[in-house]
Amino acid sequence: MRPIRVLSIDGGGVRGYLPALLLAEIERRASTPAARLFDLVVGTSTGGIIGIGLATGLSAQSLADFYPAYGRRIFGGAEEPAWKTCLLGTGGTFTQRMGHAARQVGGPFGGNRIYGGNARHRPEGLEGVLREVLGDKNLSQAEMDLAITSFDGLTARPVVFSRRDARTDPSWDLPLRDVARATSAAPTYFPPLRIDWRGRGCRFVDGGVWANNPAGIAVSESLVLTSGNGLTGQSVFFVSLGTGMAPAGAGFDGTNSWIGSAGDLVRTATSVAAGEVLARRAVPEQNYRRLQVIDSRVAGAMDDPSRQRLEVLKAAADDLIRDRSAELDEIAARLLAR
């Protein structure tokens, strides 16, 4: 029997444009919709939105088009000078923009409840886009096995929303748009998703706070599929897509100020390296493919959908496609193999 085909997609806000473009290229080379190329897709934050889109039947190309088409509705505003956007944000009305300025000023000191805490962006744009793109389907109706990360801030516990659980326990069967909102509520970018779930109130924040690279979750979820098909846990073909990162630097060297050490701690908590280490230890080398751009220009702002920013991401994707063309052909062939 052929290996279980697994797709894992990192978090990274608007940088999700990069893995979406890579996935669209794989789809093009395979001449097959991406949703039919994989048995399981696992995603965090923007990667979770891409995964959910695939599981509703959307093409990878349409998901790549998602970022230039909806970026401004999600993050607001127009093409403006960086200083003005940083202070006043990108909300539409004067009141919204002043609210953003209040959050920016108040954020370091605990936020301003009157203006929605310390989130930089109002959630209405994101929620409207998710409703429009994903419709009314529930998690149990996903067209492929799906696992999406989140984190409940009220209990300080990681959460994984999966189609498998939704089909066996109706309490897990949330609307896919709510799952997408729960996985992408990045602290300081969007307010948490507050809903009643399983008999209590929950405050979901971005799954990237514990699994920015969800490859480790993808490995554990794949075990259910391999065992169900009489295969070993290593009988998977694993494709992991990153959203770009800066070259790694040293950390925790003991010479930084406490602020510098706190920064090291945050970077470690949101690192994509842990997921990669777990996947490489679990999956045979010949069955693991990681597509990641390492470039400080790419690893910039996660909430900047400007034309210039998207052009940088598109150029990085084009460079990777050119440099690893043979590998992309091999990936497409492996995904099509029976």
Side-chain angles (χ1 to χ4, degrees):
M1 296 179 65
R2 64 167 172 78
I4 299 298
R5 303 163 300 174
V6 178
L7 174 65
S8 173
I9 313 174
D10 294 7
V14 76
R15 297 193 334 240
Y17 188 39
L18 203 161
L21 289 168
L22 298 178
L23 190 59
E25 180 65 17
I26 293 172
E27 182 179 74
R28 185 189 69 80
R29 294 186 184 218
S31 299
T32 302
R36 289 168 51 191
L37 294 175
F38 296 95
D39 302 299
L40 166 68
V41 60
V42 180
T44 287
S45 192
T46 192
I49 293 175
I50 294 172
I52 292 170
L54 290 178
T56 62
L58 296 175
S59 69
Q61 184 57 57
S62 67
L63 291 166
D65 295 338
F66 174 91
Y67 293 88
Y70 294 106
R72 282 300 177 199
R73 280 184 56 185
I74 293 171
F75 297 110
E79 307 294 317
E80 294 181 336
W83 67 267
K84 188 175 181 181
T85 299
C86 182
L87 177 62
L88 297 180
T90 53
T93 68
F94 175 78
T95 300
Q96 290 173 342
R97 296 173 76 91
M98 290 305 297
H100 180 92
R103 289 193 295 274
Q104 290 291 89
V105 173
F109 308 100
N112 186 325
R113 290 184 179 275
I114 296 175
Y115 290 101
N118 64 2
R120 303 180 196 181
H121 306 288
R122 298 170 64 87
E124 290 85 358
L126 173 61
E127 291 171 355
V129 167
L130 294 176
R131 187 178 301 108
E132 179 178 324
V133 173
L134 301 177
D136 296 323
K137 282 188 177 181
N138 278 12
L139 183 54
S140 65
Q141 297 172 291
E143 298 178 10
M144 60 197 300
D145 272 294
L146 180 69
I148 303 297
T149 68
S150 189
F151 186 88
D152 182 7
L154 291 182
T155 60
R157 292 181 64 87
V159 177
V160 177
F161 294 104
S162 73
R163 185 183 76 163
R164 171 166 54 89
D165 289 334
R167 288 186 168 182
T168 57
D169 183 346
S171 68
W172 286 88
D173 196 19
L174 296 175
L176 283 169
R177 62 175 180 268
D178 286 350
V179 177
R181 175 75 170 85
T183 193
S184 59
T188 78
Y189 289 94
F190 290 102
L193 173 66
R194 300 173 184 268
I195 60 173
D196 290 328
W197 178 61
R198 311 194 82 195
R200 62 176 179 83
C202 294
R203 188 174 66 207
F204 291 118
V205 299
D206 195 302
V209 302
W210 69 282
N212 206 35
N213 176 347
I217 293 90
V219 169
S220 66
E221 291 291 319
S222 71
L223 292 175
V224 178
L225 298 181
T226 53
S227 62
N229 285 278
L231 300 169
T232 69
Q234 291 189 327
S235 297
V236 299
F237 180 62
F238 198 111
V239 178
S240 176
L241 302 179
T243 58
M245 61 180 290
F252 301 110
D253 62 3
T255 61
N256 284 338
S257 66
W258 67 266
I259 294 177
S261 294
D264 287 341
L265 183 62
V266 170
R267 283 189 292 274
T268 300
T270 58
S271 170
V272 298
E276 183 171 358
V277 169
L278 292 172
R280 287 189 181 277
R281 289 181 62 83
V283 179
E285 182 178 359
Q286 66 272 20
N287 285 0
Y288 178 82
R289 301 292 179 271
R290 173 72 168 166
L291 300 176
Q292 172 71 300
V293 171
I294 301 176
D295 187 326
S296 56
R297 294 173 302 168
V298 169
M302 296 191 296
D303 60 343
D304 176 9
S306 66
R307 182 176 60 255
Q308 294 87 345
R309 177 71 169 142
L310 294 178
E311 286 175 353
V312 168
L313 295 171
K314 175 68 164 58
D318 289 343
D319 288 345
L320 189 149
I321 289 168
R322 182 191 65 245
D323 295 342
R324 300 175 69 176
S325 180
E327 185 176 355
L328 288 167
D329 283 337
E330 184 255 353
I331 289 172
R334 292 284 298 272
L335 292 172
L336 290 169
R338 295 294 177 182

